[in-house]
Amino acid sequence: MSSTVPAVPQIPVMIPWLGEEEAAAAAEAVRSGWVAQGPRVAAFERAFADHLGVPHAVAVSSCTTALHLALIGAGVGPGDEVVVPSLSFIATANAVTYVGAVPVFADVDPADGNLTADTVAAALTDRTRAVVVVDQGGVPVDLDAVRALAEPRGITVVEDAACAAGSVYRGRPAGATAQIAAYSFHPRKLLTTGEGGMVTCQDGDLAARLRRLREHGMSVSAADRHAAGGGMVVETYDEIGFNHRMTDIQAAVGLVQLGKLPAMVERRRALAARYRELLGPLADGLVADPAHGTGNFQSCWLLLPEGAPDRTEVLARLAAAGVSARRGIMAAHLEAPYKGTARVPLPATELITGRSLILPLFHTLTEAQQDRVVAALREAIG
Ligand SMILES: *Cc1c(COP(=O)(O)O)cnc(C)c1O
């Protein structure tokens, strides 16, 4: 018996932009015999730091582990509170929980899904140690406004730029001006290494500590010890660290992907602009650039208009028409680990998470496919 097969070919939500060059780079790393963290990770870190124009970049295994290290680096621990948007992938809140602190959910701007100084202010207490702002869907958050609120109170602002490689904030790459920022290279983002992440920061001592923490707290990295000739250098372990390392195979892929990042952003922005034209009045609900920057359209999300059918129904109708859209950004305070923990009302969060959907957007999306998506959406909304 066959399982159910869609009547029409499905248009996926996302396809990573990978090719022969990435395959060759990965193969070369394998053939070199150096597959764990080594020279390619170091080269990828330098290239990523240069791309952003930041002094330090520390490669790690994911953005989740990047956030984990960032929060330790910011001095967050048990008894502390960290203000985060509920409207984010759950890893943002989980990283706070990993360090024994309490995530305190703040609401977002209904226009772009990001924290604002006002929504953060409503969630501050005398226990607040840090704020994690998110560039949701690649839309740059107004970092300066949140810093102006937080820093005079001794509160560190960490930027979760998981989605935002290639986005621009006040003329600089998103995350570049943050004290600490974390990036993801998961295939659902633009630049991918399979799994992978990066922490960037301005401070050299902090970067050195993050390098130790990602590698079991070792005072000398395994790669440096190897380069120095095995037993010549004896490392010490001065605090408890983790294994949050990236592999050289991943970094080899990342180096190729970084070179393609401008083309990825250009292509996604052009496709998003075409959606905007095609959608007509529905485009009112389409995520747009904020006044302070430009996004990479990592997620091209659309808020359904008032009077539209239920989102689940819209998604089902799209799927039947061969269009694989997704529910919009999740809200952590509605999931089991954080249910009932919201202290302030989160109306914009609940509106966006309940009424938005993510449209297919990938580099090989054709005009004909885009036309099909928009026609199916019109039909589904009625
Ligand atoms: C994807 C994502 C993460 C997690 O990234 P991983 O690399 O998969 O760990 C964290 N925060 C946000 C906002 C994300 O979108």
Side-chain angles (χ1 to χ4, degrees):
M1 302 301 292
S2 66
S3 55
T4 49
V5 173
V8 277
Q10 288 280 328
I11 301 172
V13 162
M14 177 68 165
I15 302 174
W17 191 339
L18 292 162
E20 284 308 313
E21 240 191 301
E22 285 86 346
E28 196 187 304
V30 171
R31 287 193 195 99
S32 78
W34 198 319
V35 289
Q37 177 185 292
R40 288 173 182 80
V41 167
F44 183 40
E45 289 176 337
R46 271 194 308 278
F48 198 77
D50 289 350
H51 155 77
L52 291 178
V54 298
H56 307 287
V58 180
V60 288
S61 53
S62 69
C63 185
T64 305
T65 55
L67 288 168
H68 184 201
L69 294 190
L71 289 167
I72 296 172
V76 179
D80 292 334
E81 292 180 359
V82 178
V83 175
V84 298
S86 169
L87 189 80
S88 183
F89 185 58
I90 198 165
T92 309
N94 284 348
V96 175
T97 306
Y98 296 162
V99 299
V102 175
V104 176
F105 297 119
D107 206 15
V108 293
D109 186 333
D112 65 11
N114 282 332
L115 293 181
T116 67
D118 286 345
T119 66
V120 171
L124 295 181
T125 74
D126 54 13
R127 298 193 143 200
T128 310
R129 182 73 198 79
V131 178
V132 181
V133 294
V134 177
D135 301 301
Q136 195 47 259
V139 177
V141 66
D142 192 354
L143 176 71
D144 293 351
V146 177
R147 286 182 71 174
L149 170 78
E151 289 177 357
R153 293 169 169 80
I155 297 167
T156 305
V157 180
V158 172
E159 186 165 347
D160 179 347
C163 304
S167 300
V168 175
Y169 175 62
R170 298 194 190 282
R172 298 274 308 275
T177 60
Q179 292 302 306
I180 316 176
Y183 297 82
S184 173
F185 306 133
H186 183 275
R188 183 63 187 79
K189 324 296 183 186
L190 274 68
L191 188 173
T192 187
T193 58
E195 297 279 358
M198 194 77 78
V199 197
T200 59
C201 63
Q202 314 292 336
D203 182 80
D205 291 339
L206 174 60
R209 182 166 179 227
L210 298 175
R211 286 182 198 291
R212 292 192 297 271
L213 285 172
R214 76 168 161 191
E215 193 168 13
H216 309 287
M218 277 153 104
S219 60
V220 183
S221 79
D224 287 350
R225 238 177 328 121
H226 182 89
M232 299 295 291
V233 184
V234 178
E235 79 284 6
T236 58
Y237 299 80
D238 302 329
E239 64 177 321
I240 292 178
F242 310 91
N243 183 352
H244 285 349
R245 284 175 300 215
M246 175 182 277
T247 71
D248 254 30
I249 305 171
Q250 292 168 311
V253 172
L255 277 164
V256 178
Q257 285 270 292
L258 185 59
K260 286 159 79 165
L261 184 59
M264 292 178 187
V265 175
E266 195 185 322
R267 178 75 181 137
R268 294 186 75 81
R269 287 186 59 83
L271 288 167
R274 187 160 185 275
Y275 266 137
R276 184 167 294 286
E277 278 171 29
L278 295 174
L279 281 165
L282 283 177
D284 290 348
L286 193 67
V287 66
D289 287 334
H292 51 256
T294 55
N296 60 6
F297 286 89
Q298 181 268 340
S299 284
C300 188
W301 60 267
L302 178 88
L303 195 65
L304 293 174
E306 265 179 60
D310 187 69
R311 200 239 335 255
T312 312
E313 178 59 31
V314 174
L315 287 175
R317 290 179 191 175
L318 287 173
V323 173
S324 168
R326 289 281 180 282
R327 72 164 184 171
I329 302 139
M330 67 174 295
H333 80 286
L334 302 179
E335 298 298 326
Y338 301 109
K339 218 164 213 156
T341 67
R343 295 181 192 168
V344 298
L346 304 169
T349 299
E350 288 175 4
L351 175 73
I352 295 175
T353 198
R355 294 289 292 165
S356 65
L357 52 84
I358 296 172
L359 299 176
L361 191 62
F362 47 89
H363 63 295
T364 51
L365 186 68
T366 64
E367 293 200 347
Q369 286 177 317
Q370 253 191 322
D371 295 347
R372 251 180 71 201
V373 170
V374 173
L377 188 64
R378 284 232 174 78
E379 184 78 24
I381 290 175

